[in-house]
Amino acid sequence: MATSPAALDKKSAIQQAFHELQAVLPTGHVTVDEEILQLHGYSSNSYHNEGSPNIVVFPSSTEDVVKIVNIASKLNLPIIPFSGGTSLEGHFTAPQGGICISFTEHMDKVVAFHPDDLDIVVQPGVQWEDLNAQLKPHNLFFPMDPGPGACIGGMVGTGCSGTNAVRWGTMREWVINLTVVTANGEVVKTRQRPRKSSAGYDLTKLFIGSEGTLGVVTEITLKLAVRPEEETVAVCDFPTVRDAAAVVPDLTKAGVQIGAVELLDESMMKAVRMATPDLGYEEKPTLFFKFVGSKAQIQHEIKVVSELAKKHKGGKFKYAKTQEEKDKLWEGRKTCLWSATLLKENASIWTTDVVVPVSRLPELIEETKKDTAASTLPCPFAGHAGDGNFHLFILFDKEKPEEFEEATRLNSNLIKRAIDMDGSITGEHGVGYGKKKYLRAELGDKTVDLMWTIKDAVDPKGIMNPGKVLPDKQK
């Protein structure tokens, strides 16, 4: 079969790009190695693997990224940013091929540290755990805590958060400014470094959550926080999930500034017991609490929370008095993802998240439990209950098409359920490739069309991470 002219043109563009990139980047910073291409296009964490890039590059600076973008723009080749590779919704898969810009190899540095101003400037390849390890001697930390291995670049791209969000907020509240290379190769800094500014449009927040579809982020200025004086954790089990979930709105109304409140259902607790029986958990819905602040504040909040738990039929309220006890009590929450695989042989896990107003969380959980109870697939869950963010872990055998189809159905039902409850299709994982088809249902055509207007204005050729976030334009 003859090769089409379009395919020939793309092949020649890729070949030309490879040679031009080799000319402007150091030796070893451009590759077409098949294994590396696969690693930068496919992920075992995601079930939205649509293709790998044609070329992977490893820049060392913003100037390098400008050179890469200019070559890609000239040849109309897609650009896909890559940092930690831990995302779940196909954010870095390459349905149209193109050039993947990988930041973890050479752009993983701290650029500037301003402890007196409580901020730090970093490159996108910095891992959040490594950053906090560097900050610890200064009694500072960066409060976002997504999955292990996540890097700041991807955290900006998805607008992530984690278990600390109920107390500290999301990525959008902790980024002061961004340095971005736009689709035409220009370098934009979104604002200066003060903690607040009312000057002009808030371009920083425009790029946060845009998943590389509007530009390539090369530097990030982050706010920092002083480490709390004290921190402890507590757990309490409940007879039903609804009883446990009902505690959360009461926490909000009581004005408790909880550090984190996580909800694991009885199926997830069964998995935790299987993985770590020595922890002594009950196979019941369980709330995990984190308390931060002064000793007096923590003691007061433990008293309030324990009374609220008792009001909703909570069992024994266990709280840690030592660091060893704290680590042991929280271990169940930390390991629940990997523990869940014990619930099914040959299990793959489809991890999906939605978020609803906190008052609707008990209803969301109850309706979802009815749906999953009728399914052939185990579906434990863990939720950032304090802010209404709900994570369902759908266990299936990816070698069995009927199980993948059932997992897809359960995921779709959860998303639609959240939208009907005035919620969102994602609380922190991002839209990526996997959830873009639901965006119009959540936001409406006018809102999505406005997003397309912005996208077309800053990326007229459509080369910035194409196929992500926005659903297809209406005809």
Side-chain angles (χ1 to χ4, degrees), residues 40 51 53 69 72 77-82 87 89-101 157-158 183 209-216 431-433 436 452 455 459 461-470:
H40 286 78
V69 170
L77 291 175
I79 298 164
I80 307 102
F82 181 97
S87 57
E89 296 294 344
H91 297 86
F92 59 86
T93 193
Q96 300 176 28
I99 301 169
C100 174
I101 303 178
T158 57
S210 66
E211 302 179 12
T213 61
L214 301 179
V216 180
V431 176
Y433 184 90
K436 64 177 184 176
W452 265 114
K455 166 75 170 170
D459 180 23
K461 293 183 178 181
I463 62 172
M464 289 293 180
N465 208 10
K468 318 295 168 56
V469 184
L470 299 181

Side-chain angles (χ1 to χ4, degrees), residues 173-225:
E173 288 79 59
W174 289 87
V175 178
I176 294 174
N177 66 44
L178 299 169
T179 299
V180 183
V181 179
T182 61
N184 61 0
E186 293 182 350
V187 179
V188 174
K189 188 171 182 178
T190 56
R191 51 162 284 195
Q192 296 277 61
R193 202 167 51 84
R195 282 268 168 149
K196 67 177 185 178
S197 170
S198 58
Y201 298 150
D202 193 343
L203 297 181
T204 306
K205 285 189 172 63
L206 176 65
F207 285 105
I208 298 171
S210 66
E211 302 179 12
T213 61
L214 301 179
V216 180
V217 174
T218 60
E219 285 186 9
I220 308 101
T221 303
L222 301 170
K223 297 177 186 176
L224 303 175

Side-chain angles (χ1 to χ4, degrees), residues 236-245 262-267 269 282-288 314-315 369 381:
C236 185
D237 58 62
F238 294 80
T240 70
V241 168
R242 192 170 186 102
D243 290 326
E262 301 288 296
L263 172 58
L264 277 59
D265 76 340
E266 67 275 13
S267 296
M269 293 308 297
E282 296 292 329
E283 199 173 305
K284 296 178 180 179
T286 301
L287 285 174
F288 290 71
K369 293 286 283 184
F381 77 75

Side-chain angles (χ1 to χ4, degrees), residues 437-455:
K437 64 183 178 182
Y438 302 104
L439 201 63
R440 289 189 185 276
E442 178 184 335
L443 300 178
D445 290 337
K446 297 293 185 184
T447 302
V448 173
D449 291 346
L450 178 58
M451 291 179 179
W452 265 114
T453 300
I454 295 168
K455 166 75 170 170

Side-chain angles (χ1 to χ4, degrees), residues 154-455:
M155 292 164 68
V156 169
T158 57
C160 80
S161 50
T163 63
N164 289 340
V166 65
R167 176 66 176 263
W168 303 100
T170 73
M171 199 71 184
R172 296 179 191 276
E173 288 79 59
W174 289 87
V175 178
I176 294 174
N177 66 44
L178 299 169
T179 299
V180 183
V181 179
T182 61
N184 61 0
E186 293 182 350
V187 179
V188 174
K189 188 171 182 178
T190 56
R191 51 162 284 195
Q192 296 277 61
R193 202 167 51 84
R195 282 268 168 149
K196 67 177 185 178
S197 170
S198 58
Y201 298 150
D202 193 343
L203 297 181
T204 306
K205 285 189 172 63
L206 176 65
F207 285 105
I208 298 171
S210 66
E211 302 179 12
T213 61
L214 301 179
V216 180
V217 174
T218 60
E219 285 186 9
I220 308 101
T221 303
L222 301 170
K223 297 177 186 176
L224 303 175
V226 176
R227 285 183 172 272
E229 178 186 329
E230 296 284 337
E231 179 179 299
T232 193
V233 301
V235 297
C236 185
D237 58 62
F238 294 80
T240 70
V241 168
R242 192 170 186 102
D243 290 326
V247 172
V248 179
D250 281 1
L251 282 177
T252 304
K253 287 185 282 188
V256 176
Q257 293 294 303
I258 200 86
V261 54
E262 301 288 296
L263 172 58
L264 277 59
D265 76 340
E266 67 275 13
S267 296
M268 187 63 84
M269 293 308 297
K270 177 181 178 180
V272 170
R273 277 174 59 88
M274 292 169 69
T276 50
D278 59 306
L279 294 179
Y281 292 116
E282 296 292 329
E283 199 173 305
K284 296 178 180 179
T286 301
L287 285 174
F288 290 71
F289 302 95
K290 187 183 292 183
F291 300 92
V292 295
S294 67
K295 287 183 178 180
Q297 180 184 1
I298 288 175
Q299 288 171 356
H300 169 72
E301 291 183 349
I302 286 175
K303 183 175 183 293
V304 172
V305 172
S306 63
E307 289 172 354
L308 289 174
K310 185 177 180 180
K311 171 187 169 185
H312 293 282
K313 307 175 188 176
K316 186 177 180 182
F317 191 86
K318 297 185 288 187
Y319 68 94
K321 298 177 183 178
T322 66
Q323 182 64 42
E324 183 180 357
E325 289 179 357
K326 184 182 83 171
D327 293 341
K328 185 176 179 180
L329 281 178
W330 199 257
E331 184 71 13
R333 177 60 185 93
K334 283 178 61 179
T335 61
C336 67
L337 173 60
W338 317 118
S339 302
T341 59
L342 299 175
L343 296 175
K344 180 177 172 60
E345 191 175 353
N346 299 321
S348 295
I349 301 182
W350 186 325
T351 308
T352 185
D353 90 308
V354 296
V355 63
V356 294
V358 172
S359 63
R360 303 297 299 273
L361 183 62
E363 182 185 357
L364 175 73
I365 291 172
E366 188 170 45
E367 292 300 313
T368 302
K369 293 286 283 184
K370 289 179 184 176
D371 194 18
T372 57
S375 175
T376 56
L377 303 180
C379 298
F381 77 75
H384 304 322
D387 55 14
N389 193 190
F390 178 88
H391 297 250
L392 191 65
F393 300 79
I394 308 170
L395 276 64
F396 69 102
D397 187 337
K398 62 183 178 182
E399 301 303 323
K400 296 180 178 179
E402 68 276 12
E403 292 198 2
F404 179 79
E405 184 178 336
E406 173 65 358
T408 303
R409 182 190 72 82
L410 291 168
N411 178 54
S412 181
N413 284 355
L414 175 63
I415 291 168
K416 292 172 183 175
R417 197 174 297 122
I419 293 171
D420 289 343
M421 294 183 185
D422 205 20
S424 175
I425 62 177
T426 175
E428 58 187 18
H429 293 173
V431 176
Y433 184 90
K435 288 186 172 177
K436 64 177 184 176
K437 64 183 178 182
Y438 302 104
L439 201 63
R440 289 189 185 276
E442 178 184 335
L443 300 178
D445 290 337
K446 297 293 185 184
T447 302
V448 173
D449 291 346
L450 178 58
M451 291 179 179
W452 265 114
T453 300
I454 295 168
K455 166 75 170 170

